[in-house]
Amino acid sequence: MAAPQSNQVLLSVVIVNYRTPKLVTECLASLLPDINEIDARVVVVDNRSGDNSPEFIGAWLATNDDESKVTFIQSNQNAGFAAGNNIGIKACNAQYYLLLNSDTLIRAGAIRTILDTALRFPDAGLVSPRLEWPDGTGQESCFQFRSPLSELIEASQTYLIAKYLSRYKPSWPVQTQIARPQWTSFACVLVRKEVFEQVGLLDEGYFMYYEDMEFCHRVRKTGWGIVHNPEARVVHMPASSSTIKEQIQLKKRIPKFIYESRTRYFYQAYGWFG
């Protein structure tokens, strides 16, 4: 793993790749112009994709990273989403860290708006933007914590239960103004350095899914808030996650790590009862 840079920059953007090299380069193409006048660095971590990702991304960087803002790290293992992000976080000394999915595109001005929001709300340990589809339609990205009651609502598929326990539903409608959710999507999220120093990095016990919710749980326990600003807009085109959602909807076999992550989260958040 690359040694962390000694001089602190304002912003470090961390992108984890697993067999999505074209998405990574498209994401970088939208990101780099938006941070051109910001003291920022980008760390791309390849989670041992085992395909042509290193060559594809390396070739793109050779002709597009004119200011050498991007550091490319190849992990020697794929230990999951949290582990990949942690590698990127530790590789750069920054005041803020933006965790960014490879399946995102940055709308002009989004990064500056996110940083300005962090300055406006000093109690916010995390700041998230509006996530949307390419046509501008908003995506749900603000949530309440999942709980035993929210699981009952989803599992029952019963109108009366859903109606009377609606306040326990995890997802919020797409927000149109500043909001303070209990947790927010990590497809794009800004995290203060002080937050990592106080609560630690992402929990590598999660291979994929629920690690964002668990991290927000720890953040809120220490007194930090979470702020969502829809004025910052980021296109999100879920690639790998869409397959999982389709499997759930069609009641097909779901990967084992989904159940393991779910069990880990509920035990950590609610103990044996959870």
Side-chain angles (χ1 to χ4, degrees), residues 72-92:
F72 185 38
I73 299 174
Q74 297 180 50
S75 175
N76 59 11
Q77 63 176 331
N78 177 17
F81 178 79
N85 272 288
N86 287 344
I87 291 172
I89 294 165
K90 289 184 283 189
C92 185

Side-chain angles (χ1 to χ4, degrees), residues 93-223:
N93 180 18
Q95 185 176 348
Y96 298 99
Y97 293 85
L98 184 76
L99 308 186
L100 186 64
N101 272 19
S102 63
D103 55 3
T104 58
L105 298 173
I106 305 300
R107 300 284 197 195
I111 304 301
R112 176 57 67 186
T113 300
I114 293 171
L115 287 169
D116 288 346
T117 304
L119 291 175
R120 286 172 55 197
F121 297 92
D123 68 310
L126 278 65
V127 176
S128 68
R130 168 188 168 96
L131 298 180
E132 59 187 33
W133 297 101
D135 66 359
T137 304
Q139 298 177 12
E140 292 179 350
S141 58
C142 294
F143 308 91
Q144 295 187 102
F145 289 126
R146 286 186 171 272
S147 67
L149 280 176
S150 72
E151 297 301 288
L152 171 64
I153 294 170
E154 290 192 0
S156 69
Q157 297 184 349
T158 301
Y159 172 76
L160 288 177
I161 292 179
K163 178 182 178 181
Y164 290 109
L165 297 180
S166 60
R167 66 182 182 276
Y168 296 105
K169 289 182 63 176
S171 60
W172 287 10
V174 175
Q175 301 296 297
T176 58
Q177 56 188 358
I178 294 287
R180 288 182 173 269
Q182 291 185 341
W183 70 280
T184 190
S185 170
F186 272 30
C188 180
V189 65
L190 185 79
V191 186
R192 294 180 189 271
K193 178 181 182 179
E194 294 87 347
V195 170
F196 287 129
E197 291 175 338
Q198 290 182 30
V199 309
L201 299 178
L202 302 186
D203 185 344
E204 297 184 13
Y206 294 88
F207 183 80
M208 192 174 179
Y209 294 103
Y210 287 88
E211 67 283 301
D212 48 2
M213 195 186 328
E214 186 279 330
F215 186 77
C216 290
H217 217 282
R218 275 187 281 150
V219 167
R220 288 175 60 85
K221 277 186 176 180
T222 60

